[in-house]
């Protein structure tokens, strides 16, 4: 006899009816089939296109019938566990049985909650699947409840697990380093376990990022093939694993990295794992990217990502720490004269007893350095208003330098290993504050709150994080909970961000961590954008922005025009037109000292900003089609965005050899029957638009035949608007 389950409709509707142990979880184009057997665990049968019934799957012998959340102690022990708990009495086993299922309906989604209980111990685990109605994303996560009389230890607590039919499956993820983030790395899965993980503690996307794509039918293709995309929404250490078994399955697991993080959970407490966002596309990696971008713009990012980011000048690469009032005002004059909308004062503005002259002091002392800024921040917000632009400011509130008044007063607020010498980070003095400590959380909240209370005209904050957790230990956490630090650090950070957003829902905040160290969906619900890299060399940015776009939309990606010669790439000199065109493909900004620009550079930047205003909505809210990858070594890279019958096309010459054959650019995602007019944008100062300007083509022609884009000299580039 089939066990009957009670199902509740909560939120908008509440009803009770029988569940026969099978559930089809759907998004517009995908479905996940789950079932539970009498007294058994939760089983996953299928994740893929929305094309089949449960019966068809079974009749065809295709139901995978694999544990949805493999628990240590329950099933086939050759599978790696997604969850393992040590109970108060030392028992390491879990035998989870489904008890009931609940459905929660919201406007944009339906969430299925399966509650499972251990056969022996009073521990329960809820598994959530939140399926969106308008975008093909299913978020999954768990909640673990400790009903025991004493603490239990979560030894492994993945957010989710997927079972995939074995085949020619490839895994792609973003790999990199500081100033070289987000290089797509692709490899075929072979027997054994493939692990992608991070142990920085505070940031998690410099080296290996917490997102992957799994191409199910051979070498990853941009525009074709079945691909699963997965993003762990967490800013701390993570571990993504694929276990390829000799049988017929790959098992994909994603969650918090348990290394040094066996989590002690007190009695009657619940631990919620971070969300794992999953998608399935039959349109290759491009399809997965577009789904993540759509999801980010509807719910994965703050402000639903629908704000079109302001065009800004940031003082960092133009002045580094050498700021003062006069230079700030000069920079405001310049960005206003270019047609920009926002000026951001970066590092170097604070410190009283220890003025911030370089990176070796003052973090923690968030008071204006009156020697540099005699009129304080008020004089700067006034100056910005007078020039018709907004004002933004840099902070790094989770950090402290040993040379600071804060450290003198509260040395115990820094993370530190008891009795051991401090390991010092940036500037030889930097430490990370202990975000597990509620007093530190209050301090960090107050850094933001005081700034915004004193200077309500601040419209933008750049929130940086420039150190990893090198000193593992907390003076606040008890001895038996030291292994909770990595996790509680981020839960503490999220608490602060919740408070900041509750009080300041509208201020724009950039998420930065030594460049692109915190590009992740754990933080984006609280931020408007992230700094993609400390490397602003336009050629390398073509590559970095290409990789970043695999998971993140253009309006999340801050892209700034830099100065040349450029130090990070050995003094490389790139023409201003190419630098502008590369920055225009994301959220446009400038990062240089305008005083040092040539007249041609000034004119080009002014033109670029005016033209970007016309393209901004298409770029920041459009559907991305990556056309030619810079990694394919074809001499060019091309991408485009489509939005409401318009498109923006970017073409960059990334190599230049005599007699080199440059591919024709075939466009994508257009309406084949519409006629598009091409208008060249940001035409090089002193030149005329190219021969394609003003020409009209059908969408079908542009997609099937393509255009020959004139690109002759080194660093040639073109930007076009297409209007139908
Ligand atoms: C980090 C950021 C930079 C800049 C500096 C300031 O490196 O990524 O953009 O803000 O800090 O110290």
């Amino acid at each position: 006899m089939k066990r009957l389950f009670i199902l509740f409709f909560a939120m908008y509707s509440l009803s009770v009816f029988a569940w026969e142990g099978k559930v089809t979880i759907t998004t517009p184009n995908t479905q996940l089939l789950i079932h539970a057997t009498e007294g058994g665990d939760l089983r996953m049968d299928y994740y893929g296109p929305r094309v089949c019934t449960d019966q068809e799957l079974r009749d065809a012998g295709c139901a995978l019938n694999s544990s949805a959340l493999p628990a240590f102690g329950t099933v086939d022990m050759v599978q790696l566990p997604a969850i393992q708990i040590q109970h108060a009495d030392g028992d390491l086993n879990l035998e989870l049985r489904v008890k009931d299922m609940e459905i929660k309906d919201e406007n944009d989604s339906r969430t299925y909650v399966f509650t499972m209980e251990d056969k022996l111990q009073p521990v329960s685990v809820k598994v959530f699947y939140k399926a969106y109605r308008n975008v093909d994303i299913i978020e999954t996560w768990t909640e673990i409840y400790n009903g025991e009389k004493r603490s239990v230890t979560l030894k492994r607590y993945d957010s989710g697990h997927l079972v995939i039919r074995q085949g020619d499956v490839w895994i792609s993820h973003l790999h990199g380093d500081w100033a070289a983030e987000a290089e797509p790395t692709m490899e075929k899965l072979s027997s054994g376990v493939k692990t992608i993980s991070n142990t920085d503690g505070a940031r998690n996307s410099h080296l290996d990022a917490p997102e992957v794509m799994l191409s199910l039918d051979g070498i990853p293709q941009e525009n074709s093939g079945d691909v699963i995309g997965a993003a762990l929404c967490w800013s701390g250490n993570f571990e993504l694993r694929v276990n390829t078994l000799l049988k017929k399955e790959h098992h994909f697991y994603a969650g918090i990295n348990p290394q040094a993080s066996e989590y002690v959970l007190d009695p009657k407490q619940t631990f919620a794992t971070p969300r794992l966002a999953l998608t399935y596309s039959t349109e290759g990696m491009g399809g997965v990217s577009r789904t993540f971008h759509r999801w980010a713009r509807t719910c994965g990012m703050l402000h639903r990502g629908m704000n079109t980011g302001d065009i800004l000048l940031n003082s960092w690469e133009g002045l580094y720490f050498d700021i003062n009032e006069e230079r700030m005002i000069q920079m405001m004059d310049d960005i206003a004269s270019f047609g920009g909308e926002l000026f951001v004062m970066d590092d170097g503005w604070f410190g009283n007893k220890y003025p911030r002259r370089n990176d070796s002091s003052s973090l923690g002392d968030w008071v204006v350095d009156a020697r540099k800024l005699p009129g304080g921040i008020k004089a700067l917000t006034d100056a910005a208003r007078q020039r018709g632009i907004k004002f933004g400011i840099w902070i790094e509130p989770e950090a402290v330098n040993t040379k600071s008044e804060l450290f003198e007063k509260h040395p115990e607020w820094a993370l530190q290993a008891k009795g051991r010498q401090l390991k010092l980070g940036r500037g030889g003095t930097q430490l990370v504050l202990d975000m597990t400590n509620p007093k530190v959380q209050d301090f960090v909240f107050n850094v933001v709150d005081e700034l915004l209370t004193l200077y309500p005209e601040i419209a933008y904050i750049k929130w940086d994080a420039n150190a990893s957790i090198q000193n593992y230990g907390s003076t606040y956490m008890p001895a038996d909970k030291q292994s909770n630090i990595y996790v509680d650090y981020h839960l503490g950070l999220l608490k602060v961000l919740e408070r900041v957003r509750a009080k300041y829902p509208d201020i724009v905040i950039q998420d930065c961590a030594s460049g692109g160290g915190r590009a992740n969906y754990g933080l984006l619900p609280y931020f408007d954008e992230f700094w993609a890299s400390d490397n602003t060399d336009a050629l390398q940015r073509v590559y970095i922005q290409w990789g970043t776009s695999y998971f993140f939309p253009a309006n999340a990606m801050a892209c700034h025009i830099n100065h040349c010669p450029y130090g990070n790439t050995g003094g490389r000199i790139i023409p201003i037109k190419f630098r502008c065109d590369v920055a225009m493909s994301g959220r446009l900004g400038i990062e240089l000292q305008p005083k040092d620009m040539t007249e041609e550079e000034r004119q080009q930047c002014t033109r670029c900003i005016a033209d970007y205003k016309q393209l901004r909505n298409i770029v920041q809210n459009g559907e991305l089609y990556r056309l030619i990858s810079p990694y394919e070594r074809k001499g060019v890279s091309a991408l485009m965005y489509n939005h409401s019958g318009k498109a923006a096309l970017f073409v960059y010459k990334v190599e230049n050899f005599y007699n080199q054959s440059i591919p024709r650019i075939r466009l994508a995602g257009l309406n084949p029957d519409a006629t598009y007019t091409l208008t060249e944008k940001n035409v090089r100062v002193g030149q005329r638009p190219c021969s394609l300007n003003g020409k009209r083509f059908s969408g079908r022609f542009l997609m099937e035949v393509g255009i020959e884009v004139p690109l002759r000299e080194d660093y040639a580039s073109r930007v076009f608007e297409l209007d139908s």
Side-chain angles (χ1 to χ4, degrees):
M1 191 190 86
K2 283 198 183 104
R3 188 185 167 95
L4 296 183
F5 294 87
I6 306 298
L7 177 136
F8 297 102
F9 271 103
M11 316 288 277
Y12 295 102
S13 55
L14 183 70
S15 62
V16 180
F17 61 89
W19 172 48
E20 294 191 356
K22 289 180 197 154
V23 175
T24 303
I25 299 168
T26 58
T27 66
N29 301 296
T30 71
Q31 70 190 125
L32 174 67
L33 296 176
I34 296 282
H35 81 270
T37 47
E38 170 87 41
D41 74 335
L42 194 66
R43 317 281 300 171
M44 180 176 293
D45 287 327
Y46 172 86
Y47 180 46
R50 190 172 169 178
V51 290
C52 55
T53 63
D54 187 74
Q55 193 57 47
E56 280 175 317
L57 265 187
R58 272 168 231 293
D59 290 349
C62 295
L64 290 160
N65 189 20
S66 179
S67 178
L69 192 75
F72 185 88
T74 301
V75 282
D76 189 350
M77 290 280 208
V78 299
Q79 271 186 34
L80 297 172
I83 181 166
Q84 184 184 17
I85 295 176
Q86 182 151 34
H87 303 277
D89 64 2
D91 173 16
L92 279 156
N93 296 283
L94 269 181
E95 292 175 281
L96 296 173
R97 291 182 308 182
V98 178
K99 187 177 152 242
D100 63 34
M101 181 188 77
E102 195 182 338
I103 290 183
K104 293 180 180 172
D105 273 323
E106 287 169 273
N107 282 343
D108 62 347
S109 61
R110 168 170 281 195
T111 303
Y112 297 79
V113 187
F114 298 90
T115 301
M116 301 193 278
E117 287 179 342
D118 185 38
K119 271 189 188 168
L120 185 66
Q121 309 267 14
V123 160
S124 62
V125 177
K126 287 181 195 282
V127 176
F128 293 76
Y129 294 104
K130 178 172 184 172
Y132 285 87
R133 295 186 206 285
N134 296 322
V135 58
D136 290 312
I137 292 275
I138 297 176
E139 294 171 7
T140 183
W141 71 99
T142 69
E143 278 181 13
I144 304 164
Y145 174 71
N146 176 14
E148 300 186 24
K149 293 207 168 59
R150 287 177 290 141
S151 299
V152 300
T153 304
L154 313 184
K155 298 178 89 67
R156 161 75 65 183
Y157 40 105
D158 280 337
S159 296
H161 162 251
L162 266 189
V163 56
I164 299 162
R165 176 77 168 83
Q166 209 173 100
D168 192 4
V169 177
W170 289 59
I171 186 165
S172 310
H173 81 285
L174 303 178
H175 175 78
D177 205 336
W178 174 79
E181 293 88 345
E183 180 176 335
T185 304
M186 298 161 189
E187 63 202 278
K188 183 174 158 61
L189 288 175
S190 58
S191 39
V193 183
K194 166 77 189 168
T195 303
I196 297 164
S197 65
N198 163 272
T199 51
D200 180 283
R203 301 88 49 92
N204 71 5
S205 54
H206 270 135
L207 305 180
D208 292 288
E211 302 89 22
V212 291
M213 291 196 204
L214 294 152
S215 298
L216 307 185
D217 35 24
I219 297 175
Q221 303 293 329
E222 181 61 33
N223 295 312
S224 61
D226 285 21
V227 185
I228 292 173
L232 186 71
C233 309
W234 181 240
S235 57
N237 294 345
F238 65 86
E239 193 168 77
L240 312 179
R241 302 171 294 160
V242 186
N243 187 15
T244 299
L245 293 171
L246 251 189
K247 294 195 288 183
K248 58 176 186 182
E249 296 146 3
H250 304 280
H251 292 266
F252 170 68
Y253 305 79
I256 290 175
N257 190 339
Q259 201 245 324
S261 293
E262 294 195 348
Y263 197 87
V264 178
L265 184 63
D266 285 339
K268 316 293 173 243
Q269 295 299 309
T270 299
F271 183 86
T273 60
R275 292 172 188 217
L276 170 68
L278 297 166
T279 188
Y280 191 109
S281 173
T282 53
E283 292 172 24
M285 295 193 294
V288 166
S289 299
R290 285 186 288 281
T291 303
F292 273 116
H293 299 175
R294 237 173 273 143
W295 171 71
R297 290 191 178 107
T298 48
C299 45
M301 273 170 77
L302 189 77
H303 296 140
R304 303 182 176 270
M306 292 312 282
N307 282 357
T308 40
D310 287 327
I311 300 161
L312 62 84
L313 170 66
N314 178 297
S315 66
W316 178 243
E317 292 190 13
L319 294 171
Y320 295 105
F321 296 97
D322 208 9
I323 63 170
N324 63 30
E325 191 172 296
E326 190 194 329
R327 291 186 194 125
M328 296 298 90
I329 290 175
Q330 165 251 311
M331 284 186 146
M332 289 188 217
D333 279 333
D334 286 312
I335 186 64
S337 75
F338 296 157
E341 299 152 333
L342 166 70
F343 171 71
V344 181
M345 175 169 68
D346 208 282
D347 199 350
W349 61 267
F350 52 93
N352 183 18
K353 181 171 169 190
Y354 302 108
R356 177 87 165 165
R357 301 226 165 84
N358 53 44
D359 59 9
S360 69
S361 74
S362 326
L363 291 173
D365 301 348
W366 300 105
V367 287
V368 173
D369 178 357
R371 284 146 290 209
K372 287 180 176 173
L373 302 171
I377 291 170
K378 175 81 170 54
L380 301 178
T381 54
D382 286 348
R385 185 182 353 96
Q386 284 151 14
R387 285 155 183 79
I389 58 173
K390 299 178 196 164
F391 179 80
I393 195 164
W394 179 95
I395 52 173
E396 192 181 350
E398 299 155 66
V400 66
N401 289 115
T402 50
K403 198 169 159 194
S404 69
E405 292 184 69
L406 180 69
F407 191 71
E408 286 171 354
K409 203 164 153 205
H410 285 299
E412 78 285 4
W413 280 7
L415 285 170
Q416 52 201 273
K418 198 173 169 190
R420 298 182 190 276
Q421 198 175 351
L422 288 171
K423 296 175 197 76
L424 300 165
R426 189 182 184 204
T429 61
Q430 186 162 341
L431 295 169
V432 177
L433 288 175
D434 181 359
M435 294 296 287
T436 70
N437 183 341
K439 287 196 178 128
V440 174
Q441 293 167 17
D442 287 345
F443 170 81
V444 173
F445 172 75
N446 287 335
V447 171
V448 179
D449 193 30
E450 276 167 25
L451 269 176
L452 296 182
T453 307
L454 284 172
Y455 313 108
E457 287 186 80
I458 292 178
Y460 177 106
I461 286 179
K462 175 173 174 179
W463 181 310
D464 215 333
N466 287 316
S468 16
I469 295 178
Q470 299 189 64
N471 302 283
Y472 192 90
S474 159
T475 59
Y476 169 75
M477 297 288 272
D480 63 346
K481 287 211 182 120
Q482 291 285 309
S483 62
N484 289 14
I485 293 171
Y486 275 143
V487 173
D488 283 354
Y489 180 94
H490 289 275
L491 296 180
L493 172 61
L494 295 180
K495 268 191 205 156
V496 172
L497 291 168
E498 290 282 350
R499 285 169 70 186
V500 167
R501 281 315 187 178
K503 190 156 178 193
Y504 303 104
D506 297 328
I507 185 161
V508 175
I509 312 185
Q510 182 187 74
D511 159 17
C512 174
S514 308
R518 276 185 169 172
N520 63 58
Y521 280 113
L523 290 179
L524 271 177
Y526 304 92
F527 289 85
D528 298 78
E529 59 174 35
F530 56 81
W531 184 222
S533 178
D534 272 347
N535 189 342
T536 50
D537 174 278
L539 179 61
Q540 193 154 358
R541 271 293 185 123
V542 171
Y543 292 78
I544 292 171
Q545 292 169 197
W546 186 270
T548 306
S549 80
Y550 274 47
F551 297 96
F552 301 101
N555 58 340
M557 206 189 327
C559 306
H560 296 180
I561 301 164
N562 73 346
H563 63 261
C564 284
Y566 188 63
N568 275 342
T569 44
R572 180 150 50 209
I573 296 174
I574 293 180
I576 185 68
K577 152 88 173 136
F578 187 93
R579 285 183 267 151
C580 289
D581 288 356
V582 172
M584 285 172 87
S585 70
R587 199 280 285 130
L588 174 68
I590 305 183
E591 184 113 4
L592 43 68
Q593 167 53 292
K595 211 155 61 80
D596 301 336
M597 292 166 91
T598 63
E599 188 47 35
E600 185 204 333
E601 287 178 324
R602 298 179 80 86
Q603 282 182 27
Q604 193 75 58
C605 274
T606 306
R607 180 173 294 179
C608 153
I609 287 174
D611 285 1
Y612 183 77
K613 286 178 182 168
Q614 292 163 17
L615 296 180
R616 170 159 52 186
N617 190 36
I618 308 172
V619 171
Q620 294 197 17
N621 292 319
E623 298 263 289
L624 169 69
Y625 287 85
R626 288 181 294 259
L627 305 174
I628 303 177
S629 166
Y631 290 98
E632 285 177 37
R633 308 287 313 270
K634 288 185 173 165
V636 288
S637 176
L639 60 126
M640 65 186 288
Y641 298 95
N642 297 346
H643 188 65
S644 306
K646 293 187 172 199
L649 169 67
F650 297 87
V651 187
Y652 309 116
K653 188 163 195 172
V654 290
E655 284 178 356
N656 196 16
F657 297 106
Y658 175 71
N659 227 357
Q660 186 178 18
S661 156
I662 295 288
R664 193 174 276 169
I665 311 290
R666 288 205 292 183
L667 279 60
L670 299 173
N671 174 356
D673 300 321
T675 303
Y676 292 85
T677 306
L678 264 67
T679 308
E680 186 171 358
K681 293 289 179 188
N682 195 32
V683 174
R684 186 168 171 180
V685 168
Q687 287 189 358
R688 297 169 61 75
C690 74
S691 54
L692 291 164
N693 188 49
K695 299 276 164 44
R696 288 159 63 78
F697 306 95
S698 71
R700 181 169 288 107
F701 178 88
L702 291 168
M703 292 191 290
E704 291 179 15
V705 180
I707 50 176
E708 299 280 359
V709 176
L711 297 165
R712 270 177 292 275
E713 69 283 355
D714 272 2
Y715 299 112
S717 58
R718 302 275 178 192
V719 178
F720 297 96
E721 180 176 8
L722 285 82
D723 206 341
S724 63

